[in-house]
Amino acid sequence: MMKKDRKHLAAIALALALAVSGCGSGAGEESTGASGSDGSGTESSTGSVLTPDKPQLAEGIVNLSEQVSRVDIPTTEMSPDHGTALSGSGIRMLDQLIKTTGDPKANYLISPTSLQMALGMTVTGADAGTATEKELMAVLMPGTDGRPDTLNEEMATFANRMLHSDGVSWNVANSIWVRNNINVALRDSYVSDVTNSYAAELFSAPFDQSTLDSINSWVNTNTKERIPKILDKLDQNAAHFRAMLTEESAEVKIGTVIHKTMIKVDRKGTVAAASTTVEMRTKGAVMTEPPYQVILDRPFVYGIVDAATGVPVFLGVQNKMN
């Protein structure tokens, strides 16, 4: 009989988005010496998938997603009310960040899509009808009757459209990291949902220094070195799942949510990257012909938005220039 160990299960959900677009030859390339300018992977402005190199993983880390049979997810275009809800969710996230930091004159940048994908993988691990599921769905799709299964299908369609957008090269990558020194197995349904809906990689790892290094390597590689590091330490007791497990256990508990972003805009185009980690207990402004002049001499709000749904992938406030 499987030994129950509810207290010490730890897991991390990671979601990131990387966007590159521009105009003319060499669009999207960064200046000499900038991180990510070593030519690794593939970048172009013709509408393609960025293909970073494989990250370095330490010994003892097993990629569980390699054992999962891939299935076709139903194509579910995001309904207008769900698109509006996700857009409003992103705006509220940015507003809450500004209020929390208490500095209205600072610059801010978030990726609502990265945050929503990480939380989407998290809510998939909550039992149906529980307070945790309701609270997370209220954050993701406030004022709607959206369910996690519907969210998963819509986000899968949304991510697939991003990856095949004209004029923008994307990398959308997700992963789940689960501590391996416990006698609890993940439910096949959860593994299948996050693998197929979010194209997530699932890793079983010892949650030691080597795991921390591997997580940061995964983020660094998949953002093409735009975000070299997401975590400084691992919380051994960060997460407790229920729907993830093959037997009853504690309800989902979310610890720290860490979100890092970067954006670079110049005459060649725009590069934006974001990474979100949920410890559970990113090119816009593309010039068109003819070119026009934009004078940025006052604070402004900007975003990289999916034209089909109106959902912001990146959203920021610029109060001052460096």
Side-chain angles (χ1 to χ4, degrees):
M1 182 176 178
M2 186 175 291
K3 179 182 177 182
K4 296 183 179 180
D5 185 349
R6 305 185 180 99
K7 185 176 181 181
H8 299 294
L9 175 64
I12 289 175
L14 276 166
L16 62 85
L18 172 62
V20 179
S21 73
C23 58
S25 65
E29 295 179 0
E30 297 186 29
S31 59
T32 303
S35 62
S37 60
D38 60 354
S40 62
T42 303
E43 291 188 8
S44 72
S45 59
T46 58
S48 62
V49 179
L50 295 176
T51 54
D53 298 329
K54 288 289 185 181
Q56 294 294 320
L57 300 178
E59 291 186 12
I61 296 178
V62 179
N63 190 338
L64 302 177
S65 53
E66 293 179 347
Q67 307 167 17
V68 178
S69 299
R70 300 284 178 165
V71 299
D72 292 331
I73 298 297
T75 300
T76 305
E77 289 296 338
M78 193 172 295
S79 64
D81 61 326
H82 286 181
T84 299
L86 283 173
S87 298
S89 171
I91 293 171
R92 276 186 287 276
M93 289 175 180
L94 179 60
D95 180 62
Q96 186 62 39
L97 174 63
I98 295 172
K99 290 179 178 177
T100 300
T101 58
D103 186 356
K105 296 184 178 180
N107 296 332
Y108 299 94
L109 173 66
I110 67 169
S111 172
T113 296
S114 175
L115 285 159
Q116 289 157 353
M117 284 187 173
L119 292 175
M121 290 189 292
T122 304
V123 74
T124 302
D127 268 350
T130 59
T132 299
E133 182 193 74
K134 293 177 181 178
E135 290 170 2
L136 284 173
M137 290 307 299
V139 170
L140 291 165
M141 289 186 170
T144 72
D145 59 354
R147 305 184 311 274
D149 56 344
T150 303
L151 173 68
N152 292 345
E153 293 176 4
E154 291 180 339
M155 293 302 283
T157 304
F158 178 64
N160 184 65
R161 184 173 58 252
M162 288 168 58
L163 292 172
H164 295 88
S165 298
D166 292 334
V168 182
S169 295
W170 294 94
N171 182 36
V172 180
N174 301 302
S175 64
I176 301 286
W177 301 71
V178 181
R179 190 156 63 90
N180 62 10
N181 56 342
I182 52 173
N183 296 317
V184 178
L186 296 177
R187 284 184 180 174
D188 292 339
S189 59
Y190 178 80
V191 174
S192 178
D193 285 343
V194 296
T195 300
N196 291 296
S197 296
Y198 293 92
E201 295 181 283
L202 278 79
F203 298 101
S204 174
F207 272 45
D208 55 11
Q209 183 62 43
S210 69
T211 303
L212 178 63
D213 294 340
S214 295
I215 290 174
N216 286 325
S217 173
W218 186 90
V219 171
N220 182 48
T221 299
N222 280 285
T223 60
K224 288 180 65 66
E225 301 181 9
R226 270 76 182 210
I227 301 176
K229 185 178 182 180
I230 187 71
L231 292 175
D232 292 319
K233 64 179 180 178
L234 292 176
D235 184 351
Q236 292 284 343
N237 302 305
H240 297 280
F241 286 85
R242 186 170 183 176
M244 284 177 59
L245 307 182
T246 56
E247 56 180 293
E248 277 193 38
S249 69
E251 181 49 43
V252 177
K253 296 181 180 178
I254 298 178
T256 305
V257 177
I258 300 173
H259 186 62
K260 290 188 177 182
T261 59
M262 64 76 63
I263 190 167
K264 179 181 179 180
V265 182
D266 58 24
R267 68 185 63 187
K268 294 180 180 179
T270 305
V271 177
S275 180
T276 301
T277 175
V278 178
E279 294 182 347
M280 296 174 289
R281 282 226 226 234
T282 81
K283 227 170 193 175
V286 179
M287 293 183 67
T288 60
E289 295 296 337
Y292 56 89
Q293 185 178 24
V294 178
I295 300 175
L296 305 175
D297 59 355
R298 66 195 67 187
F300 60 91
V301 176
Y302 63 95
I304 300 175
V305 180
D306 174 48
T309 62
V311 173
V313 182
F314 290 87
L315 195 59
V317 174
Q318 193 79 14
N319 285 302
K320 56 187 178 182
M321 295 292 186
N322 293 330

